[in-house]
């Protein structure tokens, strides 16, 4: 992208460089949720209207936006800014796990909801984080997975269907 | 009909690792019985609606079709084979360890059909929540044997005499087990029974379990060179938090 801009659009390249350098100077991590923020505590954490007993752990800022779109969650968040990726050498120190343990240990948080991806790496992250939080006496839950809303079994992939079968629950009466 | 490595269909495969490639694709390192480890470009699978998107995950038995020559082939299709519950918890972390061993020790396009079966069996044992350490040790031993790196475990080096379960042995990487004649010395010693147990994949004896871990670490370390395994470091870091 950089080469393309330098060749075709030097003015645009200049603007991009300026924007990036501004962002580097003004954007930090929120001290509470670890998301990008221009202020010490981001707007979402600062509202005071969210339920502070619930903490939802996600991998990226984009995941936080998706969770907010559900309008089904009233608690707070913690953004790991990554996931454990053992084969790439990304371990607990490379992502925000230590920061999460401090955040969840604030004495107010009661339940931590693990909403990392359902990939092998996201699952490994959920397992490791879950263990560490349970050791600290917190209630830990994992978001459920299965057939999508409006999903017809005929069109669901076999892996999802197999997992939905394994994780079946009592039918509501 | 002979096997044409440039046009492969319905080949059993496990994804070992994948990395993003360009905007919407992945480079997927697969382990297969007839071609060993192969690198496949999975075009467009990172698009939101790609049918293959959810399939390119490790620890799931797949059937894959690919074409092309050279180091990087092109994935044509992949099919979910099923039959293996997803790994979870500590077993999942162990799965990553197996994958890292294969990524590090297995060259590309070097077929090891028997090893493929051994790997699939190890995953099945992990998925069945068997005790982890025996599964890992058995896999490590088989891996080195299949790659031709394992010194004999049932015979003494040089003399070829059968290992005495009661005797103490030193293990020299290039030669094998040497009976300790004069007690003492700094080198790590192994009980003959440990070596025999390992040859038989028997890990119910706690002494065997701890000594075999030490021995495999020594042997693997020799073949891995200076760069230690990421997965091993991460296992050690996690409980310290
Ligand atoms: Zn915040």
């Amino acid at each position: 992208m950089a080469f393309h801009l330098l060749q075709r659009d030097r003015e645009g390249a200049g603007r991009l460089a300026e924007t990036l350098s501004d962002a580097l100077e003004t954007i930090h991590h929120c001290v509470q949720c670890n998301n990008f923020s221009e202020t010490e505590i981001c707007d979402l954490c600062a509202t005071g209207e969210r339920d502070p007993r619930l903490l939802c752990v996600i991998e990226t800022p984009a995941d936080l936006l998706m969770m907010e779109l559900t309008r089904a969650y009233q608690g707070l968040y913690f953004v790991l800014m990554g996931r454990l990726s053992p084969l790439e050498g990304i371990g607990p120190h490379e992502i925000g796990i230590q920061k999460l343990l401090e955040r969840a240990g604030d004495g107010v948080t009661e339940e931590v909801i693990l909403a990392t991806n359902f990939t092998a790496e996201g699952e490994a992250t959920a397992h490791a984080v879950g263990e560490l939080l349970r050791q600290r006496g917190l209630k830990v839950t994992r978001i459920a997975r299965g057939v999508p809303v409006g999903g017809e079994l005929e069109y669901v992939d076999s892996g999802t269907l197999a997992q939905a079968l394994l994780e079946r629950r009592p039918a509501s009466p | 009909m002979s096997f044409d490595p440039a046009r492969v269909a319905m080949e059993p495969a496990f994804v070992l690792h994948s990395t993003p490639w360009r905007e919407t694709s992945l480079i997927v390192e697969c382990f297969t019985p007839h071609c060993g480890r192969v690198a496949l470009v999975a075009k467009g699978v990172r698009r939101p609606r790609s049918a293959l998107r959810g399939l390119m995950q490790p620890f799931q038995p797949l059937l894959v079709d690919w074409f092309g020559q050279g180091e990087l082939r092109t994935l044509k299709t992949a099919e979910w084979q099923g039959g293996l519950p997803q790994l979870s918890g500590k077993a999942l972390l162990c799965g990553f360890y197996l994958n890292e061993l294969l990524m590090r020790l297995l060259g590309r396009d070097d077929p090891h059909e028997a090893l493929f079966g051994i790997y699939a069996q190890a995953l099945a044992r992990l998925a069945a929540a068997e005790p982890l350490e025996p599964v890992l040790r058995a896999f490590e031993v088989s891996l080195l044997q299949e790659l031709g790196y394992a010194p004999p475990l049932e015979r003494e080096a040089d003399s070829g005499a059968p290992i005495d379960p009661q005797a103490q042995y030193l293990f020299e990487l290039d030669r094998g087990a040497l009976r300790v004649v004069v007690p003492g010395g700094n080198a790590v010693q192994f009980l003959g029974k440990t070596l025999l147990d390992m040859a038989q994949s028997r890990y119910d004896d706690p002494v065997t379990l701890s000594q075999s871990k030490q021995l495999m670490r020594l042997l693997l370390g020799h073949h891995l060179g200076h760069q230690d395994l990421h997965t091993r470091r991460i296992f050690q870091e996690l409980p310290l938090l």
Side-chain angles (χ1 to χ4, degrees):
Chain A
M1 188 177 83
F3 283 122
H4 178 88
L5 278 173
L6 282 174
Q7 275 181 350
R8 307 275 162 83
D9 183 4
R10 296 189 66 92
E11 206 179 301
R15 279 199 306 274
L16 180 68
E18 220 169 276
T19 314
L20 281 175
S21 109
D22 283 355
L24 272 176
E25 270 173 40
T26 56
I27 300 198
H28 311 276
H29 290 282
C30 167
V31 294
Q32 291 198 15
C33 70
N34 201 38
N35 199 359
F36 293 124
S37 170
E38 289 186 33
T39 45
E40 196 190 358
I41 298 178
C42 75
D43 293 348
L44 196 150
C45 291
T47 58
E49 286 163 19
R50 314 283 298 211
D51 185 345
R53 294 167 301 174
L54 291 177
L55 187 66
C56 179
V57 179
I58 59 254
E59 293 183 16
T60 66
D63 297 339
L64 189 152
L65 291 178
M66 289 309 291
M67 293 294 291
E68 282 298 281
L69 282 179
T70 67
R71 297 174 178 274
Y73 179 66
Q74 295 304 318
L76 294 166
Y77 293 96
F78 188 89
V79 188
L80 287 169
M81 295 287 173
R83 71 242 177 304
L84 294 182
S85 181
L87 268 66
E88 282 160 39
I90 300 176
H93 296 300
E94 280 75 29
I95 56 174
I97 290 187
Q98 191 66 55
K99 225 166 149 183
L100 165 62
L101 296 178
E102 284 160 25
R103 169 69 185 81
D106 62 356
V108 183
T109 306
E110 289 173 11
E111 177 181 347
V112 181
I113 302 162
L114 303 175
T116 53
N117 287 335
F118 284 104
T119 58
E121 291 163 343
E123 288 278 35
T125 308
H127 166 72
V129 167
E131 287 286 295
L132 293 163
L133 291 168
R134 253 179 239 114
Q135 284 166 15
R136 287 158 173 79
L138 286 149
K139 177 181 174 189
V140 181
T141 54
R142 177 89 169 107
I143 54 166
R145 63 177 147 185
V147 179
V149 173
E152 297 166 51
L153 296 197
E154 192 181 344
Y155 303 110
V156 173
D157 70 275
S158 313
T160 303
L161 197 51
Q163 204 61 30
L165 194 58
L166 273 172
E167 294 175 3
R168 66 189 182 277
R169 53 184 166 74
S172 31
Chain B
M1 212 177 77
S2 69
F3 184 79
D4 178 6
R7 191 162 291 276
V8 173
M10 303 286 277
E11 174 79 349
F14 282 101
V15 170
L16 295 177
H17 186 56
S18 62
T19 39
W21 168 253
R22 301 205 170 137
E23 286 293 298
T24 60
S25 304
L26 282 179
I27 291 180
V28 187
E29 295 272 357
C30 286
F31 183 33
T32 68
H34 300 108
C35 298
R37 178 159 77 86
V38 285
L40 305 175
V41 181
K43 286 186 181 149
V45 291
R46 279 161 63 219
R47 289 203 181 96
R49 302 207 179 280
S50 162
L52 296 183
R53 191 183 166 93
L55 282 185
M56 298 292 108
Q57 289 291 318
F59 320 123
Q60 297 189 45
L62 302 175
L63 290 172
V64 297
D65 292 14
W66 75 77
F67 59 87
Q69 277 160 321
E71 276 234 273
L72 214 52
R73 309 326 143 67
T74 304
L75 177 80
K76 201 168 135 207
T77 112
E79 206 180 296
W80 195 78
Q81 233 192 334
L84 186 68
Q86 289 188 18
L87 298 184
S88 60
K90 279 211 173 71
L92 175 58
L93 297 176
C94 291
F96 281 115
Y97 172 72
L98 302 189
N99 284 8
E100 190 175 19
L101 281 179
L102 288 173
M103 289 287 291
R104 289 283 301 277
L105 294 175
L106 195 61
R108 282 202 184 130
D109 296 292
D110 179 14
H112 285 277
E113 202 171 344
L115 185 59
F116 184 84
I118 289 162
Y119 173 73
Q121 199 202 6
L123 291 185
R125 291 176 67 191
L126 290 177
E130 285 192 31
L132 305 171
E133 296 279 339
V135 178
L136 299 184
R137 293 299 88 73
F139 180 78
E140 292 165 345
V141 172
S142 304
L143 173 65
L144 292 189
Q145 279 169 347
E146 285 298 322
L147 298 178
Y149 295 155
L153 290 164
E154 291 172 295
R155 303 214 161 253
E156 292 181 7
D158 304 339
S159 75
I163 293 282
D164 174 358
Q166 307 301 327
Q168 293 286 342
Y169 289 88
L170 299 175
F171 218 88
E172 265 191 29
L173 295 168
D174 301 323
R175 290 163 75 194
L178 297 165
R179 188 191 272 262
V180 176
V181 189
V182 187
N186 299 327
V188 196
Q189 298 184 6
F190 302 94
L191 191 61
K193 179 175 182 293
T194 297
L195 305 178
L196 294 171
D197 279 351
M198 288 171 72
Q200 303 287 325
S201 280
R202 275 196 314 251
Y203 294 96
D204 40 358
D205 180 344
V207 175
T208 300
L209 213 48
S210 78
Q211 288 199 345
S212 61
K213 186 170 185 168
Q214 250 180 327
L215 178 54
M216 287 322 293
R217 205 165 167 158
L218 202 72
L219 291 174
L220 285 170
H222 180 67
H223 294 289
L224 289 167
H226 296 298
Q227 207 200 340
D228 197 10
L229 295 167
H230 290 309
T231 41
R232 193 178 281 156
R233 171 177 64 80
I234 290 168
F235 291 168
Q236 286 163 351
E237 284 174 0
L238 278 172
L240 297 177
L241 290 170

Coordinates of all heavy atoms in Angstrom, one line a residue, chain A residues 30 32-35 41-42 45, ligand 1:
Chain A
C30 N -7.1 2.0 26.8 CA -7.9 2.3 28.0 C -7.4 1.5 29.2 O -7.2 0.3 29.1 CB -9.4 2.0 27.7 SG -10.4 2.0 29.2
Q32 N -8.8 0.5 31.7 CA -9.7 -0.5 32.2 C -10.0 -1.7 31.2 O -9.9 -2.8 31.6 CB -11.1 0.1 32.6 CG -10.9 1.0 33.8 CD -12.2 1.3 34.4 OE1 -13.2 0.7 34.2 NE2 -12.2 2.3 35.3
C33 N -10.3 -1.4 30.0 CA -10.7 -2.4 29.1 C -9.6 -2.8 28.0 O -9.8 -3.7 27.3 CB -12.0 -2.1 28.3 SG -11.8 -0.8 27.1
N34 N -8.6 -2.0 28.0 CA -7.4 -2.3 27.1 C -7.8 -2.0 25.6 O -6.9 -2.2 24.8 CB -7.0 -3.7 27.2 CG -5.6 -3.9 26.8 OD1 -4.7 -3.1 27.0 ND2 -5.3 -5.1 26.1
N35 N -9.0 -1.5 25.4 CA -9.3 -1.1 24.0 C -8.6 0.2 23.6 O -8.1 0.9 24.5 CB -10.8 -0.9 23.9 CG -11.3 -1.0 22.4 OD1 -10.5 -1.2 21.5 ND2 -12.6 -0.8 22.2
I41 N -9.5 6.6 30.3 CA -10.6 5.6 30.4 C -11.5 5.9 29.2 O -11.9 7.0 29.0 CB -11.3 5.8 31.7 CG1 -10.3 5.5 32.9 CG2 -12.5 4.8 31.8 CD1 -10.9 5.6 34.2
C42 N -11.8 4.9 28.4 CA -12.6 5.1 27.2 C -14.1 5.4 27.6 O -14.5 5.2 28.7 CB -12.6 3.8 26.3 SG -13.6 2.5 27.0
C45 N -16.3 2.5 29.2 CA -16.0 2.2 30.6 C -16.4 3.4 31.5 O -16.7 3.1 32.7 CB -14.5 2.0 30.7 SG -13.9 0.4 30.0
Ligands
LIG1 ZN1 -12.4 1.1 28.4

